[in-house]
Amino acid sequence: MTSSRLLLSRRRLLGLGAAGAGSLLLAGCDRWSSSTSGFRDVLDRVDELTEGAQRLVMGDGALAREYSEADISPYFRANGNVRVNDRDYNRLAEGSFADYRLPVTGLVDRPLSLSLDDLRAMPARTQITRHDCVEGWSCIGKWTGPQLGPILDMAGVQPAARFVMFFCYDDFGNTLSGPIRYYESLGLRDCYHAQTILAYDMNDATLPIPHGAPLRLRVERQLGYKHAKFLREIRVVDSFANIGRGHGGYYEDGDGYEWYAGI
Amino acid sequence: MAETIVTPERPARRRVYRHAVIVRITHWINAACFVFLLLSGLQILNAHPHLYWGDASTFDQNNQPTDTFLSFWTSTETGERRGYVQIMGGKLFDTTGFLAASNYRGETVQRAFPTWLTLPSRQDLAAGRLWHFFFAWIFVINGIVYVAYGLAGRHFWRDLIPTRDQWRTIGRTVWDHVRFRFPRGEEATRYNILQKLAYLVAVIALIVMVLTGLSMSPGLNAAFPWLPELFGGRQSARTFHFISASLLVLFAIIHIVMVLVSGVWNNFRSMITGRYVIKEEKHDILPPSP
């Protein structure tokens, strides 16, 4: 009798303890998830581990799978910004981007200013690839444009360079300090990957505005948010520590997405 | 290995060493990883709660998913927000309050899974992914240790593969379980066939979790293009990731219920210290020596 009562109370205690631990755990996890927590730094470091492991198995050269014409998605979902609230951009769009120029700046020997005609005159790569959004969905599309590597070579990347920033025309509305326009970054080796192109055509037609006209980045071995749309400027840098909050991209800075988006 | 204590009135109790230390340690690490991976996984699913077959998803002109295997929808047509679950394009099940639409800070919002089933509780895909991949690493390393031990230490063959006589008497084992009668005596020194099959299915489902999870990585897709094709494409892999996780939740529920009804302290002790107490059946008891 005594022992069974003891057992019951022990059980109840354990049950209470488990429930208490559970709610504490959940509250703790919420706090640990916040960007100011030290544990968040630990979580962020996992991205470096993942990148290291993935680069080890895929190397610099492995290509993302390329599909056939029959696999192209009948309707490719447009995500992120599907229009741009920027006066300069809209003026360019009205003129079918005839006056569009893409500056290539930063740590380069010969800064460039490329028109769409310049870009279309360069050797182009066409690839039918699967676009994977961080949210979980995928669409297959056909992209055409020059590889980024030769453009960087044309500009002459300086030895100190490590990253390339992609600045865009689109923003997600006003913040206290005004609109923050989209930006992304890649390490140099991803810039020189064969499938890293600046796409001006999608599915054999001029790149539509919802998909980032006149020019968007394609970096096929990473998730959709790395594929910066509405390109405004390409800048070669040695570090992005002083750009935004220093995490290398709009979503990396604002929402805490991983800089390496290979998973 | 076994010490038998025989007293005249009570059935004999024998302590056997049931779980090797590697099995016990990997079990608890796995259990913790499972909880964190499940809750952060539901957070990730909430970002796009639609599951498809094939390589790609399918959308209509309004960006709405079509031809899904499973969808969580919300609608405000009736004036208030309602949540619906749809399986294979069939009938909509109103699941308001739990699935597809549930409470967040006093308001019914669009959420496939409610706050108390996601990590973190608020909608935060980026944080969910960080938690998921952190525990995925621990889970995979832990799993490699367990599988290496299972293969090298013959744990799988000795403990998990049913013997021929167990297959022959499977009908009786099922009937015993239906009546909540559990093996005693010598029979309890090994797993019965239903346990063995359940644990084997769980181990296979956990391996499927890893493979389908890796199949969703665009980086690893470039390294191993055949990987997502094993499952019929990236979106199919995502769907199987969910189905496999659902099976594991079912396994975990049955597992916990069975632990509770078949001698909770004995089970707990055996998975902590390794020692499991067996009550001998009458005919197993030797007459006390004079």
Side-chain angles (χ1 to χ4, degrees), chain B residues 8-52:
Chain B
E9 308 91 51
R10 304 175 67 192
R13 292 154 66 87
R14 183 152 65 101
R15 280 147 78 89
V16 294
Y17 186 62
R18 189 174 226 200
H19 302 299
V21 63
I22 292 182
V23 172
R24 282 177 273 143
I25 292 172
T26 53
H27 170 271
W28 290 113
I29 293 175
N30 194 56
C33 288
F34 179 70
V35 171
F36 283 101
L37 285 168
L38 178 70
L39 301 183
S40 56
L42 294 178
Q43 167 73 248
I44 295 169
L45 183 77
N46 272 4
H48 187 73
H50 303 276
L51 299 172
Y52 312 81

mmCIF file of all heavy atoms in Angstrom, chain B residues 8-52:
data_model
loop_
_atom_site.group_PDB
_atom_site.id
_atom_site.type_symbol
_atom_site.label_atom_id
_atom_site.label_comp_id
_atom_site.label_asym_id
_atom_site.label_seq_id
_atom_site.Cartn_x
_atom_site.Cartn_y
_atom_site.Cartn_z
ATOM 1 N N PRO B 8 9.542 -18.434 -1.612
ATOM 2 C CA PRO B 8 8.411 -19.357 -1.690
ATOM 3 C C PRO B 8 7.118 -18.731 -2.205
ATOM 4 O O PRO B 8 6.450 -19.300 -3.049
ATOM 5 C CB PRO B 8 8.250 -19.843 -0.259
ATOM 6 C CG PRO B 8 9.525 -19.546 0.438
ATOM 7 C CD PRO B 8 10.149 -18.388 -0.285
ATOM 8 N N GLU B 9 6.780 -17.497 -1.752
ATOM 9 C CA GLU B 9 5.458 -16.952 -2.071
ATOM 10 C C GLU B 9 5.428 -16.242 -3.421
ATOM 11 O O GLU B 9 4.423 -16.270 -4.115
ATOM 12 C CB GLU B 9 4.977 -15.958 -0.996
ATOM 13 C CG GLU B 9 5.022 -16.456 0.427
ATOM 14 C CD GLU B 9 6.347 -16.119 1.088
ATOM 15 O OE1 GLU B 9 6.743 -14.938 1.027
ATOM 16 O OE2 GLU B 9 7.011 -17.029 1.626
ATOM 17 N N ARG B 10 6.489 -15.548 -3.741
ATOM 18 C CA ARG B 10 6.448 -14.697 -4.929
ATOM 19 C C ARG B 10 7.093 -15.409 -6.102
ATOM 20 O O ARG B 10 7.974 -16.237 -5.913
ATOM 21 C CB ARG B 10 7.179 -13.383 -4.641
ATOM 22 C CG ARG B 10 6.603 -12.695 -3.427
ATOM 23 C CD ARG B 10 7.406 -11.463 -3.095
ATOM 24 N NE ARG B 10 7.273 -10.435 -4.130
ATOM 25 C CZ ARG B 10 8.045 -9.367 -4.191
ATOM 26 N NH1 ARG B 10 9.009 -9.206 -3.327
ATOM 27 N NH2 ARG B 10 7.856 -8.473 -5.134
ATOM 28 N N PRO B 11 6.636 -15.046 -7.319
ATOM 29 C CA PRO B 11 7.282 -15.652 -8.465
ATOM 30 C C PRO B 11 8.741 -15.205 -8.523
ATOM 31 O O PRO B 11 9.087 -14.117 -8.075
ATOM 32 C CB PRO B 11 6.490 -15.116 -9.671
ATOM 33 C CG PRO B 11 5.738 -13.945 -9.171
ATOM 34 C CD PRO B 11 5.561 -14.119 -7.699
ATOM 35 N N ALA B 12 9.560 -16.037 -9.073
ATOM 36 C CA ALA B 12 10.984 -15.719 -9.143
ATOM 37 C C ALA B 12 11.212 -14.513 -10.030
ATOM 38 O O ALA B 12 10.508 -14.301 -11.010
ATOM 39 C CB ALA B 12 11.737 -16.919 -9.687
ATOM 40 N N ARG B 13 12.187 -13.683 -9.669
ATOM 41 C CA ARG B 13 12.537 -12.527 -10.481
ATOM 42 C C ARG B 13 13.972 -12.696 -10.913
ATOM 43 O O ARG B 13 14.831 -13.071 -10.143
ATOM 44 C CB ARG B 13 12.366 -11.246 -9.669
ATOM 45 C CG ARG B 13 10.913 -10.954 -9.360
ATOM 46 C CD ARG B 13 10.793 -10.128 -8.099
ATOM 47 N NE ARG B 13 11.371 -8.807 -8.285
ATOM 48 C CZ ARG B 13 10.698 -7.759 -8.777
ATOM 49 N NH1 ARG B 13 9.437 -7.904 -9.114
ATOM 50 N NH2 ARG B 13 11.273 -6.603 -8.929
ATOM 51 N N ARG B 14 14.160 -12.395 -12.172
ATOM 52 C CA ARG B 14 15.491 -12.575 -12.727
ATOM 53 C C ARG B 14 15.854 -11.279 -13.423
ATOM 54 O O ARG B 14 15.032 -10.704 -14.121
ATOM 55 C CB ARG B 14 15.430 -13.734 -13.725
ATOM 56 C CG ARG B 14 16.724 -14.111 -14.352
ATOM 57 C CD ARG B 14 16.683 -15.602 -14.735
ATOM 58 N NE ARG B 14 15.675 -15.836 -15.776
ATOM 59 C CZ ARG B 14 15.971 -15.984 -17.079
ATOM 60 N NH1 ARG B 14 17.214 -15.936 -17.480
ATOM 61 N NH2 ARG B 14 15.026 -16.194 -17.966
ATOM 62 N N ARG B 15 17.068 -10.797 -13.158
ATOM 63 C CA ARG B 15 17.501 -9.582 -13.839
ATOM 64 C C ARG B 15 18.364 -9.973 -15.024
ATOM 65 O O ARG B 15 19.317 -10.721 -14.872
ATOM 66 C CB ARG B 15 18.304 -8.700 -12.887
ATOM 67 C CG ARG B 15 17.417 -7.892 -11.959
ATOM 68 C CD ARG B 15 18.102 -7.701 -10.624
ATOM 69 N NE ARG B 15 19.122 -6.674 -10.697
ATOM 70 C CZ ARG B 15 18.895 -5.361 -10.478
ATOM 71 N NH1 ARG B 15 17.688 -4.957 -10.214
ATOM 72 N NH2 ARG B 15 19.857 -4.492 -10.540
ATOM 73 N N VAL B 16 17.962 -9.481 -16.184
ATOM 74 C CA VAL B 16 18.792 -9.757 -17.355
ATOM 75 C C VAL B 16 19.346 -8.440 -17.867
ATOM 76 O O VAL B 16 18.761 -7.383 -17.661
ATOM 77 C CB VAL B 16 18.000 -10.464 -18.482
ATOM 78 C CG1 VAL B 16 17.579 -11.851 -18.039
ATOM 79 C CG2 VAL B 16 16.818 -9.644 -18.925
ATOM 80 N N TYR B 17 20.491 -8.538 -18.518
ATOM 81 C CA TYR B 17 21.087 -7.358 -19.138
ATOM 82 C C TYR B 17 20.492 -7.247 -20.523
ATOM 83 O O TYR B 17 20.761 -8.078 -21.383
ATOM 84 C CB TYR B 17 22.612 -7.529 -19.179
ATOM 85 C CG TYR B 17 23.344 -6.313 -19.670
ATOM 86 C CD1 TYR B 17 23.261 -5.111 -18.984
ATOM 87 C CD2 TYR B 17 24.111 -6.375 -20.819
ATOM 88 C CE1 TYR B 17 23.935 -3.998 -19.440
ATOM 89 C CE2 TYR B 17 24.793 -5.259 -21.284
ATOM 90 C CZ TYR B 17 24.691 -4.074 -20.582
ATOM 91 O OH TYR B 17 25.363 -2.968 -21.046
ATOM 92 N N ARG B 18 19.624 -6.266 -20.731
ATOM 93 C CA ARG B 18 18.834 -6.246 -21.946
ATOM 94 C C ARG B 18 19.382 -5.330 -23.034
ATOM 95 O O ARG B 18 19.360 -5.663 -24.198
ATOM 96 C CB ARG B 18 17.411 -5.820 -21.604
ATOM 97 C CG ARG B 18 16.488 -5.985 -22.778
ATOM 98 C CD ARG B 18 15.066 -5.712 -22.391
ATOM 99 N NE ARG B 18 14.205 -6.766 -22.935
ATOM 100 C CZ ARG B 18 12.914 -6.627 -23.095
ATOM 101 N NH1 ARG B 18 12.315 -5.522 -22.720
ATOM 102 N NH2 ARG B 18 12.205 -7.595 -23.608
ATOM 103 N N HIS B 19 19.817 -4.119 -22.639
ATOM 104 C CA HIS B 19 20.233 -3.145 -23.663
ATOM 105 C C HIS B 19 21.688 -2.766 -23.499
ATOM 106 O O HIS B 19 22.092 -2.310 -22.421
ATOM 107 C CB HIS B 19 19.384 -1.881 -23.572
ATOM 108 C CG HIS B 19 17.928 -2.133 -23.730
ATOM 109 N ND1 HIS B 19 17.379 -2.676 -24.868
ATOM 110 C CD2 HIS B 19 16.894 -1.930 -22.884
ATOM 111 C CE1 HIS B 19 16.073 -2.783 -24.724
ATOM 112 N NE2 HIS B 19 15.750 -2.344 -23.522
ATOM 113 N N ALA B 20 22.453 -2.946 -24.551
ATOM 114 C CA ALA B 20 23.864 -2.554 -24.530
ATOM 115 C C ALA B 20 23.965 -1.044 -24.347
ATOM 116 O O ALA B 20 23.049 -0.292 -24.705
ATOM 117 C CB ALA B 20 24.536 -2.972 -25.835
ATOM 118 N N VAL B 21 25.080 -0.603 -23.819
ATOM 119 C CA VAL B 21 25.229 0.819 -23.476
ATOM 120 C C VAL B 21 25.101 1.702 -24.732
ATOM 121 O O VAL B 21 24.506 2.785 -24.680
ATOM 122 C CB VAL B 21 26.558 1.064 -22.713
ATOM 123 C CG1 VAL B 21 27.768 0.739 -23.566
ATOM 124 C CG2 VAL B 21 26.630 2.520 -22.224
ATOM 125 N N ILE B 22 25.599 1.239 -25.868
ATOM 126 C CA ILE B 22 25.488 2.059 -27.091
ATOM 127 C C ILE B 22 24.028 2.213 -27.502
ATOM 128 O O ILE B 22 23.589 3.287 -27.913
ATOM 129 C CB ILE B 22 26.325 1.428 -28.239
ATOM 130 C CG1 ILE B 22 27.811 1.535 -27.883
ATOM 131 C CG2 ILE B 22 26.036 2.102 -29.574
ATOM 132 C CD1 ILE B 22 28.745 1.006 -28.935
ATOM 133 N N VAL B 23 23.254 1.131 -27.349
ATOM 134 C CA VAL B 23 21.830 1.200 -27.687
ATOM 135 C C VAL B 23 21.118 2.196 -26.779
ATOM 136 O O VAL B 23 20.305 3.001 -27.231
ATOM 137 C CB VAL B 23 21.185 -0.202 -27.594
ATOM 138 C CG1 VAL B 23 19.672 -0.117 -27.751
ATOM 139 C CG2 VAL B 23 21.783 -1.124 -28.648
ATOM 140 N N ARG B 24 21.473 2.159 -25.486
ATOM 141 C CA ARG B 24 20.795 3.063 -24.542
ATOM 142 C C ARG B 24 21.136 4.525 -24.836
ATOM 143 O O ARG B 24 20.257 5.379 -24.887
ATOM 144 C CB ARG B 24 21.215 2.718 -23.104
ATOM 145 C CG ARG B 24 20.512 1.484 -22.563
ATOM 146 C CD ARG B 24 21.008 1.140 -21.182
ATOM 147 N NE ARG B 24 22.183 0.286 -21.221
ATOM 148 C CZ ARG B 24 23.194 0.372 -20.371
ATOM 149 N NH1 ARG B 24 23.188 1.293 -19.425
ATOM 150 N NH2 ARG B 24 24.207 -0.450 -20.460
ATOM 151 N N ILE B 25 22.403 4.809 -25.035
ATOM 152 C CA ILE B 25 22.800 6.208 -25.279
ATOM 153 C C ILE B 25 22.207 6.711 -26.591
ATOM 154 O O ILE B 25 21.595 7.784 -26.643
ATOM 155 C CB ILE B 25 24.347 6.338 -25.303
ATOM 156 C CG1 ILE B 25 24.910 6.072 -23.894
ATOM 157 C CG2 ILE B 25 24.766 7.728 -25.784
ATOM 158 C CD1 ILE B 25 26.426 5.991 -23.850
ATOM 159 N N THR B 26 22.347 5.916 -27.652
ATOM 160 C CA THR B 26 21.824 6.384 -28.943
ATOM 161 C C THR B 26 20.305 6.489 -28.894
ATOM 162 O O THR B 26 19.724 7.350 -29.547
ATOM 163 C CB THR B 26 22.252 5.452 -30.097
ATOM 164 O OG1 THR B 26 21.902 4.115 -29.784
ATOM 165 C CG2 THR B 26 23.735 5.553 -30.366
ATOM 166 N N HIS B 27 19.651 5.624 -28.105
ATOM 167 C CA HIS B 27 18.188 5.712 -27.990
ATOM 168 C C HIS B 27 17.753 7.072 -27.469
ATOM 169 O O HIS B 27 16.865 7.714 -28.025
ATOM 170 C CB HIS B 27 17.654 4.612 -27.070
ATOM 171 C CG HIS B 27 16.201 4.783 -26.722
ATOM 172 N ND1 HIS B 27 15.789 5.519 -25.625
ATOM 173 C CD2 HIS B 27 15.069 4.381 -27.346
ATOM 174 C CE1 HIS B 27 14.457 5.525 -25.576
ATOM 175 N NE2 HIS B 27 13.993 4.845 -26.610
ATOM 176 N N TRP B 28 18.390 7.531 -26.384
ATOM 177 C CA TRP B 28 17.933 8.787 -25.767
ATOM 178 C C TRP B 28 18.335 10.004 -26.601
ATOM 179 O O TRP B 28 17.585 10.978 -26.687
ATOM 180 C CB TRP B 28 18.448 8.903 -24.329
ATOM 181 C CG TRP B 28 17.755 7.903 -23.434
ATOM 182 C CD1 TRP B 28 18.320 6.827 -22.815
ATOM 183 C CD2 TRP B 28 16.359 7.864 -23.101
ATOM 184 N NE1 TRP B 28 17.375 6.122 -22.111
ATOM 185 C CE2 TRP B 28 16.154 6.738 -22.254
ATOM 186 C CE3 TRP B 28 15.254 8.658 -23.423
ATOM 187 C CZ2 TRP B 28 14.900 6.386 -21.750
ATOM 188 C CZ3 TRP B 28 14.009 8.316 -22.909
ATOM 189 C CH2 TRP B 28 13.851 7.200 -22.080
ATOM 190 N N ILE B 29 19.509 9.960 -27.212
ATOM 191 C CA ILE B 29 19.892 11.071 -28.100
ATOM 192 C C ILE B 29 18.911 11.136 -29.270
ATOM 193 O O ILE B 29 18.427 12.191 -29.659
ATOM 194 C CB ILE B 29 21.349 10.898 -28.595
ATOM 195 C CG1 ILE B 29 22.331 11.056 -27.423
ATOM 196 C CG2 ILE B 29 21.675 11.904 -29.702
ATOM 197 C CD1 ILE B 29 23.779 10.789 -27.793
ATOM 198 N N ASN B 30 18.579 9.943 -29.785
ATOM 199 C CA ASN B 30 17.648 9.873 -30.902
ATOM 200 C C ASN B 30 16.271 10.422 -30.510
ATOM 201 O O ASN B 30 15.636 11.143 -31.271
ATOM 202 C CB ASN B 30 17.535 8.420 -31.367
ATOM 203 C CG ASN B 30 16.865 8.290 -32.700
ATOM 204 O OD1 ASN B 30 17.300 8.893 -33.665
ATOM 205 N ND2 ASN B 30 15.795 7.527 -32.758
ATOM 206 N N ALA B 31 15.830 10.068 -29.298
ATOM 207 C CA ALA B 31 14.514 10.519 -28.834
ATOM 208 C C ALA B 31 14.479 12.049 -28.757
ATOM 209 O O ALA B 31 13.510 12.685 -29.203
ATOM 210 C CB ALA B 31 14.202 9.909 -27.474
ATOM 211 N N ALA B 32 15.553 12.646 -28.212
ATOM 212 C CA ALA B 32 15.605 14.109 -28.109
ATOM 213 C C ALA B 32 15.632 14.732 -29.504
ATOM 214 O O ALA B 32 14.894 15.685 -29.788
ATOM 215 C CB ALA B 32 16.842 14.534 -27.307
ATOM 216 N N CYS B 33 16.468 14.181 -30.392
ATOM 217 C CA CYS B 33 16.541 14.706 -31.760
ATOM 218 C C CYS B 33 15.177 14.607 -32.435
ATOM 219 O O CYS B 33 14.754 15.532 -33.131
ATOM 220 C CB CYS B 33 17.564 13.928 -32.584
ATOM 221 S SG CYS B 33 19.264 14.285 -32.128
ATOM 222 N N PHE B 34 14.502 13.488 -32.214
ATOM 223 C CA PHE B 34 13.203 13.280 -32.855
ATOM 224 C C PHE B 34 12.227 14.400 -32.480
ATOM 225 O O PHE B 34 11.547 14.951 -33.340
ATOM 226 C CB PHE B 34 12.632 11.914 -32.461
ATOM 227 C CG PHE B 34 11.293 11.628 -33.059
ATOM 228 C CD1 PHE B 34 11.175 11.388 -34.421
ATOM 229 C CD2 PHE B 34 10.146 11.617 -32.281
ATOM 230 C CE1 PHE B 34 9.937 11.129 -34.990
ATOM 231 C CE2 PHE B 34 8.905 11.368 -32.844
ATOM 232 C CZ PHE B 34 8.805 11.125 -34.205
ATOM 233 N N VAL B 35 12.183 14.738 -31.195
ATOM 234 C CA VAL B 35 11.258 15.789 -30.746
ATOM 235 C C VAL B 35 11.598 17.121 -31.420
ATOM 236 O O VAL B 35 10.730 17.784 -32.000
ATOM 237 C CB VAL B 35 11.299 15.931 -29.206
ATOM 238 C CG1 VAL B 35 10.522 17.158 -28.752
ATOM 239 C CG2 VAL B 35 10.755 14.670 -28.547
ATOM 240 N N PHE B 36 12.872 17.500 -31.383
ATOM 241 C CA PHE B 36 13.275 18.782 -31.969
ATOM 242 C C PHE B 36 13.091 18.789 -33.487
ATOM 243 O O PHE B 36 12.645 19.783 -34.060
ATOM 244 C CB PHE B 36 14.733 19.108 -31.619
ATOM 245 C CG PHE B 36 14.913 19.607 -30.211
ATOM 246 C CD1 PHE B 36 15.386 18.775 -29.214
ATOM 247 C CD2 PHE B 36 14.595 20.914 -29.884
ATOM 248 C CE1 PHE B 36 15.539 19.230 -27.918
ATOM 249 C CE2 PHE B 36 14.751 21.388 -28.595
ATOM 250 C CZ PHE B 36 15.221 20.538 -27.603
ATOM 251 N N LEU B 37 13.431 17.672 -34.138
ATOM 252 C CA LEU B 37 13.302 17.619 -35.600
ATOM 253 C C LEU B 37 11.837 17.660 -36.015
ATOM 254 O O LEU B 37 11.474 18.302 -37.000
ATOM 255 C CB LEU B 37 13.974 16.358 -36.148
ATOM 256 C CG LEU B 37 15.495 16.413 -36.179
ATOM 257 C CD1 LEU B 37 16.083 15.031 -36.445
ATOM 258 C CD2 LEU B 37 15.978 17.395 -37.240
ATOM 259 N N LEU B 38 10.990 16.996 -35.238
ATOM 260 C CA LEU B 38 9.558 16.996 -35.573
ATOM 261 C C LEU B 38 8.981 18.407 -35.466
ATOM 262 O O LEU B 38 8.328 18.900 -36.394
ATOM 263 C CB LEU B 38 8.809 16.042 -34.634
ATOM 264 C CG LEU B 38 7.301 15.985 -34.851
ATOM 265 C CD1 LEU B 38 6.989 15.302 -36.179
ATOM 266 C CD2 LEU B 38 6.620 15.247 -33.705
ATOM 267 N N LEU B 39 9.248 19.074 -34.328
ATOM 268 C CA LEU B 39 8.645 20.394 -34.106
ATOM 269 C C LEU B 39 9.204 21.438 -35.075
ATOM 270 O O LEU B 39 8.461 22.270 -35.602
ATOM 271 C CB LEU B 39 8.853 20.844 -32.655
ATOM 272 C CG LEU B 39 8.264 19.918 -31.580
ATOM 273 C CD1 LEU B 39 8.462 20.509 -30.195
ATOM 274 C CD2 LEU B 39 6.780 19.640 -31.819
ATOM 275 N N SER B 40 10.517 21.390 -35.337
ATOM 276 C CA SER B 40 11.079 22.353 -36.290
ATOM 277 C C SER B 40 10.666 21.983 -37.714
ATOM 278 O O SER B 40 10.486 22.858 -38.563
ATOM 279 C CB SER B 40 12.602 22.424 -36.154
ATOM 280 O OG SER B 40 13.186 21.152 -36.315
ATOM 281 N N GLY B 41 10.475 20.692 -37.966
ATOM 282 C CA GLY B 41 10.010 20.250 -39.287
ATOM 283 C C GLY B 41 8.609 20.761 -39.582
ATOM 284 O O GLY B 41 8.317 21.194 -40.706
ATOM 285 N N LEU B 42 7.747 20.756 -38.566
ATOM 286 C CA LEU B 42 6.386 21.277 -38.781
ATOM 287 C C LEU B 42 6.440 22.788 -39.016
ATOM 288 O O LEU B 42 5.652 23.330 -39.788
ATOM 289 C CB LEU B 42 5.490 20.929 -37.584
ATOM 290 C CG LEU B 42 5.230 19.425 -37.411
ATOM 291 C CD1 LEU B 42 4.374 19.158 -36.179
ATOM 292 C CD2 LEU B 42 4.559 18.837 -38.652
ATOM 293 N N GLN B 43 7.382 23.472 -38.348
ATOM 294 C CA GLN B 43 7.585 24.901 -38.604
ATOM 295 C C GLN B 43 7.934 25.122 -40.086
ATOM 296 O O GLN B 43 7.387 26.011 -40.736
ATOM 297 C CB GLN B 43 8.719 25.409 -37.707
ATOM 298 C CG GLN B 43 9.276 26.769 -38.055
ATOM 299 C CD GLN B 43 8.344 27.903 -37.688
ATOM 300 O OE1 GLN B 43 7.809 28.575 -38.547
ATOM 301 N NE2 GLN B 43 8.114 28.113 -36.398
ATOM 302 N N ILE B 44 8.829 24.285 -40.609
ATOM 303 C CA ILE B 44 9.247 24.425 -42.005
ATOM 304 C C ILE B 44 8.066 24.122 -42.932
ATOM 305 O O ILE B 44 7.826 24.834 -43.911
ATOM 306 C CB ILE B 44 10.447 23.504 -42.303
ATOM 307 C CG1 ILE B 44 11.671 23.959 -41.481
ATOM 308 C CG2 ILE B 44 10.780 23.488 -43.786
ATOM 309 C CD1 ILE B 44 12.825 22.979 -41.506
ATOM 310 N N LEU B 45 7.315 23.074 -42.612
ATOM 311 C CA LEU B 45 6.158 22.728 -43.460
ATOM 312 C C LEU B 45 5.163 23.890 -43.503
ATOM 313 O O LEU B 45 4.542 24.147 -44.535
ATOM 314 C CB LEU B 45 5.456 21.471 -42.931
ATOM 315 C CG LEU B 45 4.294 21.021 -43.805
ATOM 316 C CD1 LEU B 45 4.800 20.319 -45.047
ATOM 317 C CD2 LEU B 45 3.319 20.144 -43.063
ATOM 318 N N ASN B 46 5.013 24.599 -42.374
ATOM 319 C CA ASN B 46 4.059 25.708 -42.314
ATOM 320 C C ASN B 46 4.334 26.780 -43.375
ATOM 321 O O ASN B 46 3.431 27.509 -43.761
ATOM 322 C CB ASN B 46 4.108 26.364 -40.928
ATOM 323 C CG ASN B 46 3.162 25.682 -39.945
ATOM 324 O OD1 ASN B 46 2.538 24.683 -40.275
ATOM 325 N ND2 ASN B 46 3.055 26.230 -38.746
ATOM 326 N N ALA B 47 5.594 26.875 -43.831
ATOM 327 C CA ALA B 47 5.941 27.906 -44.813
ATOM 328 C C ALA B 47 5.274 27.637 -46.162
ATOM 329 O O ALA B 47 5.005 28.573 -46.923
ATOM 330 C CB ALA B 47 7.457 27.978 -44.993
ATOM 331 N N HIS B 48 5.029 26.393 -46.461
ATOM 332 C CA HIS B 48 4.325 26.041 -47.708
ATOM 333 C C HIS B 48 3.636 24.696 -47.489
ATOM 334 O O HIS B 48 4.168 23.659 -47.868
ATOM 335 C CB HIS B 48 5.303 25.974 -48.891
ATOM 336 C CG HIS B 48 4.603 25.790 -50.212
ATOM 337 N ND1 HIS B 48 3.886 26.795 -50.836
ATOM 338 C CD2 HIS B 48 4.460 24.703 -51.015
ATOM 339 C CE1 HIS B 48 3.376 26.347 -51.961
ATOM 340 N NE2 HIS B 48 3.703 25.078 -52.095
ATOM 341 N N PRO B 49 2.462 24.712 -46.864
ATOM 342 C CA PRO B 49 1.855 23.446 -46.436
ATOM 343 C C PRO B 49 1.102 22.736 -47.560
ATOM 344 O O PRO B 49 -0.117 22.513 -47.485
ATOM 345 C CB PRO B 49 0.919 23.877 -45.303
ATOM 346 C CG PRO B 49 0.535 25.273 -45.640
ATOM 347 C CD PRO B 49 1.708 25.868 -46.389
ATOM 348 N N HIS B 50 1.838 22.400 -48.608
ATOM 349 C CA HIS B 50 1.275 21.656 -49.737
ATOM 350 C C HIS B 50 2.317 20.635 -50.167
ATOM 351 O O HIS B 50 3.489 20.977 -50.305
ATOM 352 C CB HIS B 50 0.948 22.600 -50.897
ATOM 353 C CG HIS B 50 0.001 23.700 -50.510
ATOM 354 N ND1 HIS B 50 -1.359 23.547 -50.489
ATOM 355 C CD2 HIS B 50 0.247 24.962 -50.070
ATOM 356 C CE1 HIS B 50 -1.925 24.674 -50.082
ATOM 357 N NE2 HIS B 50 -0.965 25.551 -49.809
ATOM 358 N N LEU B 51 1.878 19.414 -50.389
ATOM 359 C CA LEU B 51 2.799 18.346 -50.773
ATOM 360 C C LEU B 51 2.435 17.833 -52.157
ATOM 361 O O LEU B 51 1.256 17.654 -52.467
ATOM 362 C CB LEU B 51 2.747 17.205 -49.748
ATOM 363 C CG LEU B 51 3.153 17.592 -48.317
ATOM 364 C CD1 LEU B 51 2.878 16.432 -47.354
ATOM 365 C CD2 LEU B 51 4.620 17.971 -48.255
ATOM 366 N N TYR B 52 3.480 17.602 -52.963
ATOM 367 C CA TYR B 52 3.281 17.249 -54.371
ATOM 368 C C TYR B 52 4.012 15.955 -54.696
ATOM 369 O O TYR B 52 4.868 15.501 -53.945
ATOM 370 C CB TYR B 52 3.851 18.337 -55.290
ATOM 371 C CG TYR B 52 3.470 19.751 -54.938
ATOM 372 C CD1 TYR B 52 4.145 20.442 -53.932
ATOM 373 C CD2 TYR B 52 2.450 20.407 -55.626
ATOM 374 C CE1 TYR B 52 3.799 21.746 -53.608
ATOM 375 C CE2 TYR B 52 2.116 21.717 -55.318
ATOM 376 C CZ TYR B 52 2.794 22.380 -54.304
ATOM 377 O OH TYR B 52 2.458 23.673 -53.996
#
